[in-house]
Amino acid sequence: MNFFRGVMGGQAAGPQPSGAETIQKLCDRVASSTLLEDRRDAVRALKSLSKKYRMEVGTQAMDHLITILQTDRSDSEIVGYALDTLYNIICNDEEEEQDESEDAVTPLPASGKHKNVSMPDENAQKQADDLGAQFTDKFIEDPEHITLLLTLLEEFDFHVRWPGVKLLTSLLKNQGVQVQGIILVSPMGVSRLMDLLADSREVIRNDGLLLLQQLTKGNAAIQKIVAFENAFERLLDIITEEGSSDGGIVVEDCLLLLLNLLKNNSSNQNFFKEGSYIQRMKPWFEVGDDNSGWSAQKVTNLHLMLQLVRVMVSPVNSPGATASCQKSMYQCGLLQQLCTILMATGVPADILTETINTVSEVIRGSQVNQDYFASVNAPSNPPRPAIVVLLMSMVNERQPFVLRCAVLYCFQCFLYKNQKGQGEIVATLLPSTIDANSISAGQLLCGGLFSADSLSNWCAAVALAHALQDNLTQKEQLLRVQLATSLGKPPVSLLQQCTNILSQGDKIVRRGSKVQTRVGLLMLLCTWISNCPIAVTHFLHNQENVPFLTAQISENLGEDERLVQGLCALLLGICIYYNDNSLENYTKEKLKQLIEKRIGKENFVEKLGFITKHELYSRAAQKPQPVFPSPEQMLFDHEFTKLVKELEGVITKAVHKSSEEEKKEEEVKKTLEQHDNIVTQYKELIREQDAQIQELKEQVASMTSQHEQMQTTITQQLSQIQQHKDQYNILKLKLGKENQSQPNNQGDSSQMNGLQTEELSQLREEVEELRKQHTLLQSQLSDKDALISSLKSAPAETTEGSAEGPDNTKLLQELDDLRSQVQSQSAEIAQLKSERQDLLRKVEDGESSSVPSSDSSLDAAKMSKLENRLAAQTSETERLKEEAKSLSDSRADMEQQLASATSTVAILQTEKTKLQTEVQESKKEQDDLLMLLADQDQKIHSLKQRLKDLGETVEDEDDLDARDQTDDEDEDDDED
């Protein structure tokens, strides 16, 4: 093809160069030209050829273009041409292929690699994808090329930045994992890409969103980095600027990026919640009263917003994180806003369906949210609860299938771990609470359970089963429900009516003969009577139920009926496992004999195991939300799959066990219960002893602290006594000097007597203070005695009482020290008193030799008064001594009692050890008996084998059982 034909105009003479030759010349020109203008023109020409001759340009020019990016970075124009060219040869976008659809059939001469054949669109697209992947692999062989591209994105020039963004996006689309790994280890790689969101040019910002979408797909590490680069704040700001749900495609891109960052990333979800970004989602769902004319973009945006809410409260998240997000959504009013959309008119069906699913997961397992949802009323006249309105849609066969599935999921989530809600639903079916003037949830469920639509039957049965899930009280309450089937006939129970639909041969059977209806009723019955012996008794009381189940299980039916047979086997197995043997005709043993005779144990177990092997069982077990491609495939409920998994093993064991094994198990259980009771008693005793020990420790700690306080007080008193001694010695020295000097004049005598009077007054004050301190010490000693008495009265029969002995001994030793200190203080006080008496005598001797005066007589009166006070102090000291003696006696009594308590504790400890030894010996004896039995069985077996070897006839237990079974069958035949 002549490349220059369009430029030159007309037919040129001579052979024209092919496209490959032209590209080769342009590549040589890029490599060899020294002028920048020449290289720029050559790169521009390569750009123009890159779409038409993608293969040739990619194979020949890629290395030269990368060199241009490295060497000519100063010229933004040539760099932009090079980036555009690389983008054209790497990009696999369908839009680009459509733009070049006319060229898709153009022959490529002289290449030798392409045939001149028009290829179908699918093959052309596949070939283009292969080319893009090959060129991407070639480009990223050297990680430095990605690093170079990241540095070019820092350029603000539009002609460099925009093609760089598009090129990197194409690389991520073609080889995402490899490019993500290179960007992740590149310094500041993610931060440079985050700067694109702050670009003022919308086209770069929008393409930056697309780039970040590709970058964050399936890479948790990059998702965390992007989130901590303040991505949530920027994206929410962009959504608000663009008009939230009324915005355009940019809002959609932001929401897709947010989903990438939050889905299956618990760290980012926690960061989103802690950053109070959930509160910023509330304005998204503020739809006006006029809901007509929803644009397709608004529907898409709101759908993604609802998905974003569901990501935060998905059942696959950790329960703690989900509960925290549910709480935040209720507190900020987001749940209330979603319920408003739920009850609004004019909302598109797909948005309404997704809103129901979103509300379901926001309230699932959250008691507060479930209570609020129960209080929501629809804007009707009269107002009806939202639950009732939703159930009306669920049992209405004219509603879309996906909407009915969503309502069922919402009802299941409302009842999930909500015993209060379960009770409210069941209460609407009880005779005492039925209101004939209003439609209740229970009436709708019963109506759907017995309607002509099999899907309504299944949904109502599953919904009612969720009202009984893990709730024994409601299972028993539902047994009271009575139904009026027809005029003139007595009412029947709901349980009986469910079994009638399965077993009777009238028109109800034809209506419920569909597999979906029967599976739903069987799931309801299994959930109802499991772990409820009273319900099992009610079920077995109907004489027709067990024969019907055995007939269903034993028949050889088609593939579709095998599932019903498996569920019938499960129902019969539940009747055996949870049977309390209250009905003589249907005890556990008789039901097992019936299975063995009519069905066969192996056949029964095989039919039971078919449930878990069903394809739809595995699909339902994956997640709680009921998602089915078509109504016909709606057979299993998620919670029921858990019940089957739990019961299959125990029912199989129960069916295979013999009566002797059951008796042995019961004996073993009783023995274990006895041992458990003994262990429980010891545990309770140990708990009591631990509590007593803790109480004693607290008392000891309190006494220790009080002792420390008293020690501090005694130290202070000792220092004060030392001060008193010093003052007394000074006073004694002064009085001795005055007696020696014996002044004659009256003025000196008056001065001496005045000084003496002042010193004596001070001494009296100090003695009075000392008396007060002794009184305080006495009160503290009394408190200590009271604590000691309480310690003596406390329970001492503890196994670890002996361990507290050293602490009590230490405390008594400290009390002895305290009393000795008190006695020493008393001795010091006595010494002070004797010295003071001597001083007084000396003073009296001095006064007798002096001239009497009014001042001396006054001093004599004061001295007399002081003597009286000293006498009182002396008596007080004597009283203190007597009290200290009584305290010593009481200490001796306490020591005696403590020794007695210690001996009691030792006796109890000995008894406990003896009991434990007996228990161990009993266990050892049981083990020895078991070993002896095993040895005996082995010996018997060996002896039988020897007898057989010697030719003797020996009958085994299996032969005896087979003979008994044959005899029983012969007897049955004779009776027949």
Side-chain angles (χ1 to χ4, degrees), residues 68 202 255 312 327 343 603 670 709 854:
I68 291 294
E202 290 189 1
L255 293 171
M312 300 299 296
K327 181 179 179 181
M343 295 290 104
N603 188 26
K670 290 181 180 179
Q709 293 177 359
S854 60

Side-chain angles (χ1 to χ4, degrees), residues 8-217:
M8 304 299 294
Q11 182 70 32
Q16 301 299 321
S18 65
E21 293 174 350
T22 304
I23 293 169
Q24 182 62 45
K25 291 179 180 180
L26 292 174
C27 292
D28 294 340
R29 187 177 174 185
V30 170
S32 59
S33 296
T34 56
L35 294 178
L36 180 60
E37 290 79 2
D38 293 341
R39 293 196 300 275
R40 185 189 303 129
D41 293 339
V43 174
R44 185 189 297 114
L46 287 173
K47 174 189 171 185
S48 63
L49 293 171
S50 58
K51 292 182 179 179
K52 192 172 184 179
Y53 298 100
R54 182 180 177 189
M55 181 70 178
E56 288 73 8
V57 175
T59 54
Q60 299 182 37
M62 179 177 286
D63 294 336
H64 300 293
L65 295 172
I66 294 174
T67 304
I68 291 294
L69 296 178
Q70 294 171 341
T71 58
D72 291 333
R73 290 184 56 184
S74 59
D75 186 74
S76 59
E77 190 174 357
I78 191 173
V79 171
Y81 291 149
L83 291 172
D84 282 331
T85 307
L86 290 171
Y87 172 73
N88 289 338
I89 63 177
I90 289 175
C91 177
N92 289 327
D93 285 348
E94 294 181 0
E95 295 180 358
E96 296 294 334
E97 295 296 328
Q98 292 173 0
D99 293 341
E100 299 298 326
S101 59
E102 295 182 357
D103 299 326
V105 297
T106 303
L108 300 178
S111 65
K113 297 181 181 180
H114 295 275
K115 297 181 180 180
N116 300 332
V117 180
S118 176
M119 302 176 67
D121 292 339
E122 294 182 1
N123 293 335
Q125 181 62 36
K126 184 177 180 180
Q127 184 181 15
D129 292 343
D130 292 340
L131 280 177
Q134 293 174 10
F135 290 140
T136 302
D137 291 337
K138 184 178 179 181
F139 185 84
I140 65 175
E141 282 179 356
D142 188 357
E144 291 298 326
H145 296 166
I146 300 295
T147 306
L148 173 63
L149 194 55
L150 292 173
T151 57
L152 290 174
L153 290 178
E154 293 181 346
E155 298 289 338
F156 187 73
D157 192 291
F158 181 82
H159 297 289
V160 175
R161 202 171 206 184
W162 188 40
V165 171
K166 294 193 296 180
L167 174 58
L168 188 55
T169 304
S170 296
L171 292 171
L172 285 165
K173 286 181 180 179
N174 295 336
Q175 296 291 348
V177 177
Q178 292 85 342
V179 179
Q180 284 174 339
I182 297 172
I183 294 176
L184 187 60
V185 299
S186 177
M188 299 298 292
V190 179
S191 299
R192 291 170 180 170
L193 299 180
M194 284 299 299
D195 292 339
L196 299 174
L197 296 183
D199 200 303
S200 58
R201 295 160 294 193
E202 290 189 1
V203 64
I204 293 181
R205 184 199 67 183
N206 298 342
D207 284 347
L209 287 172
L210 299 177
L211 170 59
L212 290 172
Q213 284 181 27
Q214 298 296 327
L215 179 66
T216 55
K217 280 184 178 180

Side-chain angles (χ1 to χ4, degrees), residues 869-885:
R869 290 186 177 181
L870 284 174
Q873 182 68 30
T874 303
S875 62
E876 181 69 16
T877 303
E878 293 296 330
R879 188 177 64 81
L880 286 173
K881 289 181 179 179
E882 292 176 359
E883 290 178 355
K885 183 178 180 181

Side-chain angles (χ1 to χ4, degrees), residues 485-498:
T485 56
S486 61
L487 294 175
K489 292 185 179 181
V492 297
S493 66
L494 177 61
L495 180 66
Q496 185 61 45
Q497 185 64 12
C498 291

Side-chain angles (χ1 to χ4, degrees), residues 1-19:
M1 180 180 179
N2 186 2
F3 169 68
F4 298 99
R5 182 181 301 168
V7 179
M8 304 299 294
Q11 182 70 32
Q16 301 299 321
S18 65

